[in-house]
Amino acid sequence: MRKTLLKSLYPIATNRPHSSSINGRRKINHPLHNSSKPDPNPLPISNSRWVFTTTAPPPPEWVQPINDTSDLITLHPKPSPWVDQILNLLNDDSSQMEPKLDEFCRIWFIRLSPNFVSYILSSSRVKNQPELCHRFFKWAGKQKGGGYTYSHNLESYAFLIDVLSVSKDLNRVKSVFIELKQKGFLMNIKSTNLLIKSFGNLGMVEELLWVWKQMKENGIEPSLFTFNFLLNGLVNSMFIESAEQVFEVMETGAIKPDTVTYNTMIKGYCKSRNTKKAKEKFTKMEEKNIELDKITYLTLIQAYYSDNDYDSCLKLYNEMEEKELEIPPHAYSLVIGGLCKDGKPMEGYMVFENMIRKGRKGNLAIYTALMDGYAKAGHVNEVIRIFERLNNDGFTPDEVTYGVIVNVLCKTGRLSEALQYFNLCRENKIAINSMFYSSLIDGFGKSGKLLEAEKLFEEMVANKITCDSYCYNAILDAYMKNGKIDEGLSVFEKMEIDGCNRTVYTYTIVMDGLFKKHRNEEALKIWDLMIDNGVTPSSGSVRVLLTGLCLSGKVGRACRILDELAPMGVVVETSCEDMINVLVKAGRVDQACKLADGIVDRGREIPGRVRTVLINALRKVGNADMAMKLMRSKIGIGYERMGTIKRRVKFKVLVDK
């Protein structure tokens, strides 16, 4: 009876760690102790499954992350052996993390203290595993035993929020933060800095300001790092005015702004597209002898690049060169790309060579920018040379790089070479997009090879490559330039059926083709359709319309359309000049003179300029006699009297007999 009672009260499995009894308490021979000494008082071993004892098992021990160093002063205390054991469990098999932690703690009679949990969450080994950290945090919060119920400390919440902020998991961060607020912790500088940094990176201004308020209420004086974290949060959330107020407090207070502070403000101004204020802060740094680092320059270079101010990009780059600052790869990309966009590929190439001399390697974006710059300047051989250098330097061209070289070869009529590179893309399994086809179709269409252009368009459709407006415009232009007006109109209609946007260039192509085939009324219908569909006319489309109307003898209608465009904000500065040149070139000098008088009478242009335009137009077509007659007369600028009435000499006098 006694034996049965003891068995029911104190069953101890034989597979438990070997233990001994010292002073009435059981002691576990822990493997971490690495003890090789035999147990002087081993438990009696029986043949049965159970071993019986009258001593109760010890309560779980709450382990700390750092060993007891009360007798040893050190700046870098050695972590407890339990730390590596727990971290190994976390990184072993995440799907079985919780059961393994439960089993481990049960076997070794331990519980993880709040300090231990926060230490684990701060470890670099789990920093990039937000999901794992959150699960570990939840598991730890459910621990019981050892005389009291577990409760997370402030540091655990702060470190978890820091880890979660890396993954931008806003919902989970908010959930953890709500739990933190409910605990009513007394804040400390380490946790507040961590929270402000995390909320700042996520742009969570409300939470950020709550932490700032708690600092003040708990009497915590902000450090320079705290101010910088706060500024970064406000800037990331685009609260630029609030950031300016914090900056002013720093300038007038004991903690002065440093390089990071100024860089943060410059970043904020650049994000809000206020490059002027960003430059003012930059200048102020120079005046106060605050160090300008590579981040300062890079941020401002990015802003100037976005503003298309490529000269300022180059100026800042040269300053970095003079100060011998390290130039980030992205800064090189921006400067070189900006120069190439500005039509200065040779200057961009000089910066590239300087980068190579300094031992820096280029990247695919830089090579592609150089190729594109030379392509726009018409230097095809330079494009090919850079392409070959790109390959020799070990880079693999992508679809953008191949697209540049195919496009420039098509524009310069080197279609066979363009096809070779096109086929090379196929061999290298480079993704072929619609831009390749549009370049080739446009090239073949302009060179009169309509059949080849049609085959490419059909191939693109067969390969299920999305046809965009560029592709449709290319085949449409090919039809129109080769006199296939009806085929072109079919493509024009198909664009609407396929849901492809018809751009102003689309309408311009169709109008130009119709006017050249003297289908003037149809061309005017296309113009009206463009206006009705809300497409704003470009200078090119207006020029095509005016030219077509003038050549068809409808000069008055052309002038009326110009009057209608003015309220729409469409004003083509050279429209009158273009119309006069077209009429004179077509031999219709009388209509040109009539138009010139109408332009002056309506107050569109000053008489002197119209006179100069007409003289130049006559000279260009070889009508030197009439040009000299106009130049030596007072037509347009002189006056004649008829009694008491003074009238300007009309241009029509030039052609009157």
Side-chain angles (χ1 to χ4, degrees):
M1 181 71 178
R2 177 182 173 84
K3 183 176 180 180
T4 305
L5 180 61
L6 288 173
K7 181 177 179 180
S8 64
L9 291 176
Y10 304 106
I12 305 296
T14 56
N15 61 353
R16 286 289 184 89
H18 188 59
S19 61
S20 61
S21 178
I22 300 177
N23 297 327
R25 297 190 64 183
R26 291 171 57 86
K27 178 181 178 183
I28 302 300
N29 289 330
H30 202 288
L32 295 176
H33 299 161
N34 297 321
S35 175
S36 59
K37 295 181 181 181
D39 189 344
N41 299 304
L43 287 172
I45 300 175
S46 68
N47 293 328
S48 65
R49 184 178 176 185
W50 304 101
V51 176
F52 308 106
T53 178
T54 58
T55 306
E61 177 187 358
W62 291 92
V63 295
Q64 299 297 328
I66 305 297
N67 287 329
D68 185 6
T69 57
S70 57
D71 297 330
L72 181 64
I73 300 175
T74 174
L75 293 176
H76 304 287
K78 185 178 180 181
S80 162
W82 294 112
V83 171
D84 275 338
Q85 293 286 327
I86 296 299
L87 286 171
N88 289 337
L89 286 174
L90 294 185
N91 290 283
D92 182 21
D93 184 359
S94 60
S95 63
Q96 297 296 317
M97 182 188 75
E98 291 88 351
K100 286 186 176 183
L101 286 169
D102 287 334
E103 180 68 12
F104 185 85
C105 292
R106 184 186 67 79
I107 290 175
W108 301 116
F109 289 95
I110 62 170
R111 292 288 182 266
L112 309 185
S113 67
N115 288 338
F116 192 99
V117 172
S118 64
Y119 191 91
I120 293 293
L121 291 172
S122 68
S123 173
S124 59
R125 290 173 60 178
V126 296
K127 185 72 174 177
N128 297 319
Q129 302 182 68
E131 177 66 27
L132 193 69
C133 288
H134 188 256
R135 286 172 55 191
F136 173 70
F137 179 85
K138 287 293 185 184
W139 172 87
K142 298 175 182 177
Q143 295 181 98
K144 294 180 181 179
Y148 71 96
T149 302
Y150 177 91
S151 180
H152 287 300
N153 60 14
L154 174 61
E155 287 74 16
S156 294
Y157 284 98
F159 282 122
L160 178 61
I161 289 174
D162 182 49
V163 172
L164 293 175
S165 68
V166 176
S167 63
K168 309 293 183 183
D169 192 344
L170 294 178
N171 291 332
R172 190 166 283 176
V173 170
K174 287 180 180 179
S175 174
V176 175
F177 176 67
I178 290 171
E179 190 177 327
L180 181 152
K181 287 175 66 177
Q182 293 172 348
K183 296 288 184 178
F185 289 114
L186 182 66
M187 289 289 173
N188 58 57
I189 187 64
K190 180 180 178 181
S191 296
T192 50
N193 279 345
L194 206 58
L195 290 170
I196 287 176
K197 183 189 77 170
S198 302
F199 293 140
N201 290 335
L202 292 172
M204 298 171 67
V205 178
E206 185 178 342
E207 291 79 3
L208 184 72
L209 296 178
W210 181 88
V211 177
W212 184 261
K213 181 182 177 183
Q214 291 299 307
M215 285 183 64
K216 295 296 184 183
E217 291 179 357
N218 287 278
I220 300 173
E221 287 298 324
S223 64
L224 178 60
F225 294 106
T226 314
F227 273 115
N228 285 340
F229 288 147
L230 177 63
L231 273 176
N232 187 56
L234 294 171
V235 164
N236 287 340
S237 306
M238 297 304 293
F239 282 75
I240 307 301
E241 292 183 2
S242 300
E244 287 177 326
Q245 293 173 4
V246 174
F247 187 85
E248 290 173 3
V249 169
M250 293 181 70
E251 282 191 309
T252 56
I255 300 174
K256 301 297 181 182
D258 65 348
T259 301
V260 175
T261 315
Y262 274 97
N263 285 350
T264 304
M265 290 304 302
I266 290 172
K267 179 180 74 171
Y269 289 131
C270 292
K271 285 179 70 175
S272 60
R273 304 304 297 270
N274 195 339
T275 311
K276 182 181 178 182
K277 279 196 172 183
K279 179 61 178 176
E280 289 174 0
K281 280 285 184 285
F282 181 88
T283 305
K284 199 168 185 180
M285 289 178 73
E286 291 181 311
E287 293 172 354
K288 294 192 171 186
N289 293 320
I290 295 174
E291 181 185 3
L292 297 160
D293 63 6
K294 62 182 181 180
I295 302 299
T296 317
Y297 280 97
L298 177 59
T299 306
L300 207 52
I301 287 173
Q302 284 179 311
Y304 281 128
Y305 182 86
S306 299
D307 293 343
N308 299 324
D309 188 355
Y310 305 123
D311 288 335
S312 294
C313 290
L314 183 61
K315 181 181 177 183
L316 290 173
Y317 163 79
N318 289 329
E319 283 185 25
M320 293 182 76
E321 284 280 296
E322 292 173 4
K323 295 179 179 180
E324 298 183 351
L325 288 174
E326 178 189 354
I327 301 177
H330 188 51
Y332 279 114
S333 297
L334 292 172
V335 174
I336 294 170
L339 289 169
C340 291
K341 281 187 176 182
D342 204 26
K344 301 173 182 177
M346 294 186 68
E347 288 87 338
Y349 190 77
M350 290 174 63
V351 175
F352 172 74
E353 287 292 353
N354 188 40
M355 178 184 73
I356 299 299
R357 279 195 300 271
K358 290 187 174 183
R360 299 294 184 86
K361 289 190 67 176
N363 54 46
L364 191 59
I366 290 176
Y367 284 102
T368 305
L370 286 169
M371 288 174 59
D372 189 54
Y374 277 117
K376 289 176 180 175
H379 301 302
V380 185
N381 293 330
E382 288 297 320
V383 175
I384 296 173
R385 184 177 66 82
I386 294 172
F387 181 81
E388 292 172 350
R389 179 170 179 176
L390 178 154
N391 284 279
N392 293 334
D393 288 348
F395 292 96
T396 303
D398 60 6
E399 62 271 16
V400 179
T401 312
Y402 275 109
V404 170
I405 197 167
V406 168
N407 186 48
V408 70
L409 289 170
C410 288
K411 284 185 175 179
T412 53
R414 296 165 66 168
L415 300 174
S416 58
E417 293 176 73
L419 279 175
Q420 289 177 6
Y421 282 102
F422 181 71
N423 292 327
L424 190 61
C425 285
R426 288 172 169 167
E427 294 171 8
N428 294 332
K429 297 182 179 179
I430 302 294
I432 296 176
N433 54 36
S434 59
M435 290 303 295
F436 283 91
Y437 282 101
S438 62
S439 297
L440 288 165
I441 292 168
D442 187 62
F444 280 111
K446 282 183 169 60
S447 62
K449 298 180 179 180
L450 182 59
L451 184 61
E452 287 84 348
E454 287 179 316
K455 286 182 179 178
L456 284 166
F457 187 81
E458 291 169 2
E459 179 186 315
M460 180 179 62
V461 174
N463 291 336
K464 297 181 179 179
I465 295 175
T466 303
C467 298
D468 56 14
S469 58
Y470 290 101
C471 296
Y472 274 112
N473 287 343
I475 190 66
L476 181 61
D477 190 54
Y479 279 127
M480 291 298 180
K481 279 187 168 52
N482 288 275
K484 302 286 186 179
I485 305 300
D486 292 330
E487 289 85 344
L489 290 173
S490 297
V491 172
F492 182 77
E493 294 298 328
K494 193 174 187 302
M495 289 181 72
E496 184 176 20
I497 295 171
D498 291 347
C500 183
N501 289 331
R502 294 189 285 204
T503 65
V504 64
Y505 185 52
T506 310
Y507 291 100
T508 304
I509 292 170
V510 177
M511 284 191 297
D512 188 48
L514 289 169
F515 273 124
K516 284 179 179 177
K517 288 295 181 180
H518 308 294
R519 296 167 65 167
N520 304 326
E521 290 304 319
E522 291 179 73
L524 286 170
K525 287 181 181 179
I526 296 296
W527 170 268
D528 292 337
L529 181 62
M530 180 180 71
I531 300 299
D532 292 341
N533 288 338
V535 179
T536 304
S538 65
S539 58
S541 62
V542 173
R543 192 172 292 111
V544 166
L545 177 69
L546 297 180
T547 300
L549 289 174
C550 288
L551 291 177
S552 61
K554 299 178 179 178
V555 179
R557 187 165 185 178
C559 292
R560 286 197 300 274
I561 289 176
L562 278 177
D563 292 336
E564 292 170 1
L565 288 175
M568 297 170 58
V570 180
V571 179
V572 182
E573 297 293 338
T574 62
S575 57
C576 299
E577 181 179 343
D578 293 336
M579 292 166 67
I580 289 174
N581 283 326
V582 167
L583 290 170
V584 172
K585 188 176 181 180
R588 302 177 183 178
V589 180
D590 54 338
Q591 290 184 1
C593 291
K594 183 180 178 181
L595 175 62
D597 285 327
I599 291 170
V600 174
D601 291 341
R602 289 166 181 256
R604 290 185 180 277
E605 292 284 357
I606 59 173
R609 185 175 182 277
V610 176
R611 173 188 167 91
T612 303
V613 169
L614 190 53
I615 290 172
N616 289 335
L618 290 167
R619 290 178 60 192
K620 285 179 183 178
V621 298
N623 196 340
D625 293 339
M626 192 168 287
M628 290 297 293
K629 179 182 176 182
L630 177 57
M631 188 169 60
R632 290 172 179 172
S633 68
K634 292 185 179 181
I635 295 175
I637 57 172
Y639 294 88
E640 57 183 13
R641 288 186 177 275
M642 297 181 65
T644 58
I645 300 173
K646 183 180 178 182
R647 293 178 179 175
R648 179 182 58 80
V649 180
K650 297 282 188 176
F651 284 100
K652 66 177 183 178
V653 175
L654 185 64
V655 290
D656 287 345
K657 293 183 180 179

